[in-house]
Amino acid sequence: MDTARITSWLTSLQIKNKANEYEVKQLLSSIGLDIPNGFLLHDDNEFDGSKLNYPCVAKVCAFDILHKTDQGGIFLNLDENSILEAINKLRQQFPNKAILVEEQAQYQSGE
């Protein structure tokens, strides 16, 4: 990977030298890796799920919260009816933290 791309990415971080999951995924996408379609919600940004395929995932997105499951910071298998409730719960539990909403990766076994 070229140094200019990394330098540009580092200067774009919300908090200097501390990337969150969304920012890391943007870097991975820029070098050609497939990442789930999604977006970051800040504070009271309104949710628009019209460009997402369901099921989706909603999770707290902050560089200082690494173990989301242990802290109740992730909701899986969300559909159009349950996603707003999950976002609201995350906003209450993690005030002033961003929320990452993305399409849930579907894995298939090798069988």
Side-chain angles (χ1 to χ4, degrees), residues 8-85:
S8 173
W9 177 74
L10 285 171
T11 59
S12 73
L13 297 177
Q14 290 179 8
I15 299 174
K16 188 175 172 85
N17 298 321
K18 297 191 185 296
N20 64 39
E21 179 180 352
Y22 179 77
E23 293 165 327
V24 171
K25 286 182 174 180
Q26 295 306 299
L27 175 65
L28 296 174
S29 176
S30 77
I31 61 170
L33 295 177
D34 288 332
I35 62 163
N37 183 33
F39 52 90
L40 203 57
L41 294 173
H42 293 282
D43 301 325
D44 290 331
N45 290 116
E46 193 158 323
F47 171 72
D48 177 10
S50 64
K51 296 179 182 173
L52 295 173
N53 295 312
Y54 292 88
C56 286
V57 175
K59 50 188 157 179
V60 64
C61 186
F63 73 89
D64 58 340
I65 300 176
L66 300 178
H67 302 286
K68 296 169 189 71
T69 303
D70 294 346
Q71 297 185 33
I74 186 166
F75 292 88
L76 305 172
N77 298 311
L78 300 171
D79 60 21
E80 299 90 346
N81 298 316
S82 59
I83 196 159
L84 286 176
E85 182 180 345

